[in-house]
Amino acid sequence: MISIFSGCRIKSGMTGLGLFTTASHLEKSPVSSDYPRNGHLEGFLVVSRTKFEGIFSLNMESELEMRRIKGLLIDLDGVLVKGKAMKPFPDAADFVALLRDEHIPFRIVTNNSTKTPEGIVRRLQENGIPILSQEIVSPLSICPQVLQERGVETLFVMGSDGLKEYLAANGFLVKTEATVDAVLVAQDRTLSFQETKIAITAIKSHGAALFAMNDNRVILDDDGMVFPGAGAICRMLIYAADYEGHYVHFGKMGERYNQTVFEEFHQDKATLAIISDDLYTDITGFQEEGLMGIFITSGKYGVDDISTGMKPDAIFDSLSEVAVFLINR
Amino acid sequence: MISIFSGCRIKSGMTGLGLFTTASHLEKSPVSSDYPRNGHLEGFLVVSRTKFEGIFSLNMESELEMRRIKGLLIDLDGVLVKGKAMKPFPDAADFVALLRDEHIPFRIVTNNSTKTPEGIVRRLQENGIPILSQEIVSPLSICPQVLQERGVETLFVMGSDGLKEYLAANGFLVKTEATVDAVLVAQDRTLSFQETKIAITAIKSHGAALFAMNDNRVILDDDGMVFPGAGAICRMLIYAADYEGHYVHFGKMGERYNQTVFEEFHQDKATLAIISDDLYTDITGFQEEGLMGIFITSGKYGVDDISTGMKPDAIFDSLSEVAVFLINR
């Protein structure tokens, strides 16, 4: 069975047309030389190594780049799982199994600031995705040491109760008033007038330093609406308090976070790719670090959100499509 | 009676020492030539024309500049009145009376985004300060026309019920959901997770334009703490939604607001001064427009908040001190 397939797009947002085949009778046999070329498009017949099948299109330049992939950074929310309940996407477990089968090293790189790595692992395992906690790089694993190094003892936290308990367990005094060494901003569904008031007063009147768990713009809520990420909340606090200090965050693109991630791979950054639904920090950010950027549209952003200056190396609508690409390189 | 007086400071935050005298036997007789000079400081004996007495110190440069004052822009909150209840400072009524006696033209320039000019007048009159509504320039008097010119019909408003009613009365459909032409941010004591979520979704997903009643950093609350001004809330929304449109506000330093203010005076801007507790928009902002900036410490900022690059022409702790200066030029 052969049919037109248009779910996969190439650099600059162009829609790539290609062939889709169940192809159960074929065995990993690229037929690019037989397939009519259309400008920058190039087609591949694709055969499932595990449960994946389909076809993708990439321009030649991207294809050559993407063939180099020797390791993957995989975003968690919007890629492997969805929403507050961390419900896995249907192809997430198979995708992880494929990576293990193919010996493609990977790390789950999350900006999640509400759960410990162990908590994330538990939730993933309950949902049929076997991940080890050392395969996760999370702001919570970065945060305590950096705060200690900077002499922070008391904190006002805009974040979840879970985070507050974690910080208390790590020796910090979490206060509910403005007389603190530092304000720490995390994902915060309880964002309130009173909270912002304490935070700004702490920074402006008590000289508190400002830290954030990540630099996120938005979080996609279960109802399809978006709410402000820690980065957005920090922009409010910085302008309000005219904060002139160095704003430090523990998430992706943060100095310590990236250092930790890249120590995990003993490979040239140019052979690594990030798979993410976040066009800003993840795709553009890691591309600036030298990685390839695979944008996946299953999360908070769509192709329409690709603005000037953003150039994902590839765009896929699901992990199945990424899998198809990987096993047919 | 002569005593040391140190409540008045000069440019660059230096504390000026001078003489304070009840001086009921003197009549507006500057004695600067008799008074020992101390670096840039120069003293004046001061006699009350109405109820004001005291002495101030200014450096020579500021003194010469300040002698030129032919009209005043006067901030409302933190200068004439204090807090949510708009309680007047004890010397506010006398100060306004002095300006009328001395024929010094003035306008109350406020960024208040919760009350109509008529509402402000009513509150001031109840508190013994007779001001006419045409003596007030307010974002609410600017807002409806600009929104109409830009084709806005439906609005999501982050602001007071009073503002929402005012907008509805001016022909706008005020909605509580994200499908709107524009998001309008005002001073908002009800700032909530749900509100920010609707606002960001409106801008990001429905292409709503962003407007603000003013560009304030913080508002001083009655308990001495500060909460985010409309400008600060907008910084959060802009970063969250990656808003690339032109951000328009109706407050001080906004194009239309300033135009309205300066049309009120038929004088060279260099002969006007702003009296304000706001170091940023008011003092620094109007100085950049060519006015003199008189910083008053009775509001949300103190001398310690004067950061690099800020240079108020004079610093006073109360309107009485400003009055003493004005009548002894």
Side-chain angles (χ1 to χ4, degrees):
Chain A
M1 186 207 75
I2 293 186
S3 61
I4 298 297
F5 170 76
S6 65
C8 161
R9 277 145 299 191
I10 61 165
K11 256 187 179 172
S12 80
M14 198 193 313
T15 295
L17 291 181
L19 294 175
F20 180 89
T21 174
T22 55
S24 52
H25 56 293
L26 294 171
E27 191 58 32
K28 200 191 183 194
S29 50
V31 291
S32 56
S33 56
D34 303 330
Y35 186 72
R37 288 163 194 234
N38 175 12
H40 285 294
L41 300 182
E42 183 163 357
F44 289 82
L45 273 181
V46 161
V47 177
S48 169
R49 191 76 69 83
T50 55
K51 295 169 186 177
F52 301 106
E53 50 194 29
I55 197 161
F56 62 90
S57 301
L58 289 173
N59 63 15
M60 187 63 83
E61 186 196 343
S62 295
E63 186 214 323
L64 290 174
E65 280 173 14
M66 303 274 288
R67 280 181 184 272
R68 295 197 312 255
I69 294 176
K70 293 210 176 99
L72 285 173
L73 279 56
I74 307 169
D75 187 25
L76 180 64
D77 195 45
V79 178
L80 284 173
V81 301
K82 195 171 187 171
K84 243 195 314 183
M86 294 184 60
K87 194 170 176 290
F89 283 99
D91 40 12
D94 287 339
F95 185 75
V96 170
L98 172 73
L99 298 181
R100 298 207 196 280
D101 287 352
E102 299 279 316
H103 304 290
I104 299 173
F106 68 92
R107 283 290 179 274
I108 312 293
V109 289
T110 178
N111 262 354
N112 186 303
S113 64
T114 61
K115 291 185 185 63
T116 60
E118 293 69 28
I120 294 170
V121 162
R122 207 175 314 123
R123 191 66 69 94
L124 289 175
Q125 288 181 340
E126 284 163 7
N127 282 290
I129 308 180
I131 295 281
L132 307 170
S133 67
Q134 59 267 35
E135 288 174 323
I136 295 177
V137 185
S138 141
L140 265 80
S141 47
I142 313 288
C143 165
Q145 203 188 339
V146 178
L147 288 178
Q148 274 155 23
E149 285 167 10
R150 293 183 173 248
V152 172
E153 293 176 357
T154 57
L155 282 168
F156 177 71
V157 178
M158 297 176 79
S160 68
D161 289 341
L163 174 61
K164 290 173 192 168
E165 287 158 20
Y166 175 80
L167 290 162
N170 276 272
F172 299 96
L173 178 59
V174 179
K175 297 176 78 173
T176 55
E177 54 190 74
T179 52
V180 287
D181 298 332
V183 169
L184 175 60
V185 180
Q187 179 176 326
D188 188 14
R189 296 185 58 89
T190 65
L191 180 72
S192 72
F193 178 74
Q194 187 60 21
E195 263 200 335
T196 59
K197 193 169 138 175
I198 296 170
I200 297 169
T201 304
I203 298 167
K204 185 180 169 304
S205 307
H206 300 284
L210 178 62
F211 295 92
M213 295 305 278
N214 60 54
D215 204 30
N216 280 9
R217 288 177 189 265
V218 284
I219 316 290
L220 180 62
D221 212 347
D222 290 344
D223 58 6
M225 295 173 77
V226 284
F227 62 89
I233 296 171
C234 284
R235 295 308 182 282
M236 171 170 65
L237 304 183
I238 288 168
Y239 182 76
D242 194 30
Y243 182 66
E244 289 171 345
H246 182 51
Y247 158 58
V248 172
H249 73 88
F250 312 125
K252 291 179 228 181
M253 294 307 122
E255 195 185 331
R256 193 66 70 91
Y257 189 101
N258 279 12
Q259 199 181 7
T260 306
V261 169
F262 294 126
E263 276 170 9
E264 307 275 311
F265 292 95
H266 304 284
Q267 264 141 353
D268 182 0
K269 284 182 188 177
T271 66
L272 302 177
I274 168 86
I275 306 178
S276 177
D277 70 328
D278 186 301
L279 283 163
Y280 295 88
T281 311
D282 285 3
I283 300 298
T284 308
F286 279 117
Q287 280 181 327
E288 281 165 10
E289 294 278 317
L291 281 72
M292 289 166 268
I294 300 176
F295 173 44
I296 194 157
T297 61
S298 49
K300 60 191 167 186
Y301 294 115
V303 170
D304 292 345
D305 291 307
I306 299 174
S307 52
T308 320
M310 291 176 178
K311 288 214 165 117
D313 291 287
I315 305 169
F316 294 105
D317 285 337
S318 69
L319 286 174
S320 295
E321 291 181 17
V322 183
V324 163
F325 167 75
L326 288 174
I327 58 180
N328 287 280
R329 290 187 286 174
Chain B
M1 186 207 74
I2 292 184
S3 62
I4 297 298
F5 171 76
S6 65
C8 161
R9 277 146 297 191
I10 60 165
K11 256 184 179 174
S12 81
M14 197 193 310
T15 296
L17 291 182
L19 295 174
F20 180 88
T21 172
T22 56
S24 52
H25 57 292
L26 295 170
E27 192 56 32
K28 200 189 184 194
S29 50
V31 292
S32 57
S33 57
D34 302 330
Y35 187 71
R37 288 163 193 234
N38 175 9
H40 284 294
L41 301 182
E42 182 162 357
F44 289 82
L45 272 182
V46 160
V47 179
S48 169
R49 189 77 68 85
T50 56
K51 297 170 184 174
F52 301 108
E53 51 193 27
I55 197 162
F56 62 91
S57 301
L58 289 172
N59 63 13
M60 186 65 83
E61 186 197 342
S62 296
E63 187 214 323
L64 291 174
E65 279 172 14
M66 303 274 289
R67 279 180 186 274
R68 295 197 313 255
I69 293 176
K70 291 209 176 98
L72 285 174
L73 280 56
I74 307 170
D75 188 25
L76 180 63
D77 196 45
V79 178
L80 284 173
V81 301
K82 196 171 187 171
K84 242 198 309 184
M86 295 184 61
K87 194 170 176 290
F89 284 99
D91 41 11
D94 286 339
F95 185 75
V96 170
L98 171 75
L99 298 181
R100 297 205 197 281
D101 287 352
E102 299 277 318
H103 305 291
I104 299 173
F106 68 92
R107 283 290 178 275
I108 312 293
V109 290
T110 177
N111 262 354
N112 186 302
S113 64
T114 61
K115 291 184 185 63
T116 59
E118 294 69 28
I120 294 171
V121 162
R122 208 175 314 123
R123 191 66 69 95
L124 289 176
Q125 288 181 339
E126 284 163 9
N127 282 290
I129 308 180
I131 295 281
L132 307 170
S133 67
Q134 58 265 36
E135 289 174 323
I136 295 178
V137 185
S138 141
L140 264 80
S141 46
I142 311 289
C143 163
Q145 203 189 338
V146 178
L147 288 177
Q148 274 155 22
E149 285 168 10
R150 293 184 174 249
V152 172
E153 293 176 359
T154 57
L155 283 169
F156 177 70
V157 178
M158 297 176 80
S160 68
D161 288 342
L163 174 61
K164 290 173 191 166
E165 287 158 18
Y166 175 81
L167 291 162
N170 276 272
F172 299 96
L173 179 59
V174 179
K175 299 177 77 173
T176 54
E177 53 188 79
T179 53
V180 286
D181 299 332
V183 169
L184 175 60
V185 179
Q187 179 177 327
D188 188 13
R189 296 184 57 88
T190 64
L191 180 72
S192 71
F193 178 74
Q194 186 61 19
E195 263 201 333
T196 59
K197 193 169 137 174
I198 296 172
I200 297 169
T201 304
I203 299 167
K204 183 179 171 303
S205 308
H206 300 285
L210 178 61
F211 295 92
M213 295 305 277
N214 59 57
D215 204 30
N216 281 8
R217 287 176 189 264
V218 284
I219 315 290
L220 180 62
D221 212 346
D222 290 345
D223 58 6
M225 294 174 77
V226 284
F227 61 88
I233 295 171
C234 284
R235 296 308 183 282
M236 169 170 68
L237 304 183
I238 288 168
Y239 182 76
D242 195 31
Y243 182 67
E244 288 171 345
H246 182 51
Y247 157 59
V248 173
H249 73 88
F250 311 124
K252 290 178 228 181
M253 293 308 122
E255 194 184 332
R256 195 67 69 89
Y257 189 100
N258 279 12
Q259 199 180 9
T260 306
V261 169
F262 294 125
E263 276 170 8
E264 307 274 311
F265 291 96
H266 304 286
Q267 266 144 350
D268 182 0
K269 284 182 189 177
T271 66
L272 302 177
I274 169 85
I275 306 178
S276 177
D277 70 326
D278 186 301
L279 284 163
Y280 296 88
T281 311
D282 286 4
I283 300 298
T284 308
F286 279 117
Q287 280 181 327
E288 281 165 9
E289 295 277 316
L291 282 72
M292 289 166 269
I294 300 175
F295 173 45
I296 193 157
T297 61
S298 50
K300 61 191 167 189
Y301 294 117
V303 170
D304 291 346
D305 292 308
I306 299 175
S307 53
T308 320
M310 291 176 177
K311 288 214 163 111
D313 291 286
I315 306 169
F316 294 104
D317 285 337
S318 70
L319 286 174
S320 295
E321 290 181 16
V322 182
V324 162
F325 167 76
L326 287 174
I327 58 181
N328 286 281
R329 290 187 287 174

